[in-house]
């Protein structure tokens, strides 16, 4: 590039020109400079006043504006943004440019399209007011069964009614059901005890309910749960050793009832508990008929009813039965 001669200044003063002015003078004095650098484009009119929040476009491009711009010598991002009425930061972001990025002649920049900020989502509908639900206790009900039927926890029902796990509920008593959104069948499945599936949990729940109804202590219910688990895996089996059947593998041939009676879960549970309400009367001996059964070791109490060939196997279910009772009872 040929150097331009410096202008001659009067000797009486030294003038210091701003760099921008010097450049303008240089371009005016030589025609060669104009062949290598395009004259600066006129500034576009200032963009209109900002739109309200939520309507600000990311790149506000007029419909007549091209989608891209090819960089010319002397262009800057600021110049291009001003030329098309764009936001500098938006133009940089649309082209992956940083604040200190250098653009070069021939580079194609995307001018973008008008994109409005997404509209604010509509306000959420207010949560429905919870429906106050009550339940009148009927014979045979347990707190856990009532809670399960309404899709709430046993502890929630106990707390709502000032009860503990040792409390007894009576037919005709009205319980408050907490956190219920609507009456009717619960939308969730029944509570399962650890290690038990739905069928086993339901049979365990029935053993607990009948035990409570008969006034059997927790220890007696624990013995019944463990015995049924050892004998039938807490399933109402229609088969077994020789003629053994049902939850407790009771045998028709030894007086525990007909096959149909033994397969009646409620009846077989009552027969196991025995006592004054035993459907078999004095024909068989249930847990409550054994003198001092509450003082016997767990396995010995179960064996006194069952007379099993493997009496020691009942003991393994004492701790699991304690958990099942805590969850289901």
């Amino acid at each position: 590039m040929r150097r331009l001669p410096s202008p001659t200044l009067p000797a009486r003063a030294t003038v210091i020109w701003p760099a921008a002015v010097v450049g303008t003078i240089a371009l005016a004095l030589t025609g060669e400079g104009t062949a290598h650098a395009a004259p600066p484009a006129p500034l576009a009119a200032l963009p209109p006043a900002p739109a309200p929040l939520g309507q600000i476009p990311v790149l506000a491009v007029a419909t007549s504006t091209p989608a891209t711009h090819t960089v010319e010598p002397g262009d800057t991002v600021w110049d291009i943004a001003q030329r098309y009425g764009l936001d500098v930061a938006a133009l940089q972001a649309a082209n992956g440019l940083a604040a200190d990025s250098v653009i070069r002649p021939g580079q194609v920049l995307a001018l973008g399209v008008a994109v409005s900020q997404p509209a604010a989502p509509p306000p959420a509908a207010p949560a429905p007011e919870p429906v106050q639900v009550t339940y009148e206790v009927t014979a045979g009900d347990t707190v856990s069964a009532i809670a399960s039927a309404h899709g709430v926890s046993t502890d929630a029902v106990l707390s709502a009614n000032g009860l503990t796990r040792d409390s007894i509920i009576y037919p005709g008593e009205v319980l408050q059901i907490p956190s219920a959104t609507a009456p009717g069948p619960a939308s969730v499945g029944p509570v399962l005890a650890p290690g038990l599936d739905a069928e086993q949990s339901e049979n365990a729940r029935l053993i607990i309910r009948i035990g409570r109804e008969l006034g059997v202590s927790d220890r007696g219910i624990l013995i019944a749960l463990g015995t049924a688990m050892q004998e039938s895996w807490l399933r109402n089996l229609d088969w077994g050793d020789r003629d053994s059947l049902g939850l407790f593998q009771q045998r028709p041939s030894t007086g525990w009832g007909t096959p149909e009676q033994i397969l009646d879960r409620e009846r077989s549970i009552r027969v196991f508990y025995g006592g004054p309400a035993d459907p078999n009367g004095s024909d068989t001996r249930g847990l409550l008929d054994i003198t001092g059964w509450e003082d016997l070791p767990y396995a010995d109490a179960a064996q006194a009813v069952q007379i099993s060939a493997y009496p020691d196997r009942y003991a393994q279910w004492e701790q699991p039965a304690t958990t099942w009772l805590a969850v289901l009872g």
Side-chain angles (χ1 to χ4, degrees):
M1 178 180 293
R2 179 165 55 85
R3 294 182 178 276
L4 299 177
S6 300
T8 303
L9 299 175
R12 62 195 178 97
T14 300
V15 179
I16 300 175
W17 298 90
V21 176
V22 172
T24 303
I25 295 172
L27 289 174
L29 293 176
T30 176
E32 293 185 16
T34 60
H36 298 285
L43 294 180
L46 291 176
L53 185 62
Q55 301 177 6
I56 299 175
V58 175
L59 287 176
V61 182
T63 55
S64 60
T65 300
T68 61
H69 171 81
T70 302
V71 177
E72 299 172 352
D75 276 351
T76 66
V77 174
W78 188 89
D79 290 333
I80 297 168
Q82 290 295 307
R83 186 178 309 171
Y84 296 104
L86 306 178
D87 178 73
V88 174
L91 182 60
Q92 290 172 329
N95 292 276
L97 302 175
D100 57 351
S101 295
V102 176
I103 57 175
R104 304 182 186 281
Q107 184 176 350
V108 178
L109 299 182
L111 300 179
V113 295
V115 180
S116 295
Q117 296 289 346
E129 290 292 330
V131 178
Q132 296 298 320
V133 178
T134 59
Y135 177 82
E136 184 174 344
V137 178
T138 61
D141 276 340
T142 64
V143 174
S144 61
I146 295 169
S148 177
H150 288 84
V152 297
S153 69
T154 300
D155 287 336
V157 175
L158 292 174
S159 177
N161 293 277
L163 303 175
T164 68
R165 288 188 175 272
D166 295 326
S167 300
I168 298 175
I169 57 176
Y170 298 94
E173 184 176 354
V174 176
L175 299 181
Q176 297 292 325
I177 307 300
S179 303
T181 57
S187 60
V188 296
V191 175
L192 303 183
L196 304 183
D197 61 22
E199 178 189 359
Q200 292 171 308
S201 294
E202 175 57 28
N203 287 328
R205 192 177 286 111
L206 185 60
I207 291 171
I208 295 168
R209 176 175 70 78
I210 293 175
R212 298 283 192 221
E213 184 180 326
L214 296 174
V216 179
S217 66
D218 281 359
R219 179 164 178 78
I221 294 174
L222 293 178
I223 293 169
L225 289 171
T227 301
M229 187 63 180
Q230 175 60 37
E231 295 291 349
S232 68
W233 304 287
L234 271 168
R235 303 187 190 281
N236 195 31
L237 301 179
D238 60 359
W239 57 273
D241 177 51
R242 289 172 282 189
D243 59 341
S244 300
L245 298 169
L247 286 169
F248 295 94
Q249 291 290 280
Q250 296 159 343
R251 298 179 60 189
S253 61
T254 56
W256 289 90
T258 66
E260 293 76 15
Q261 289 174 329
I262 292 174
L263 289 173
D264 180 337
R265 294 181 304 158
E266 289 209 21
R267 187 182 190 282
S268 68
I269 293 170
R270 295 177 186 277
V271 168
F272 175 83
Y273 283 127
D278 190 338
N280 280 345
S282 59
D283 292 342
T284 53
R285 187 176 68 164
L287 181 66
L288 301 179
D289 301 317
I290 298 168
T291 303
W293 67 268
E294 289 191 301
D295 298 324
L296 294 176
Y298 184 88
D300 291 351
Q303 171 66 1
V305 180
Q306 297 298 107
I307 316 299
S308 168
Y310 306 99
D312 296 337
R313 294 184 179 178
Y314 298 109
Q316 64 183 314
W317 301 112
E318 182 174 7
Q319 185 55 51
T322 303
T323 301
W324 302 336
L325 179 59
V327 172
L328 301 174

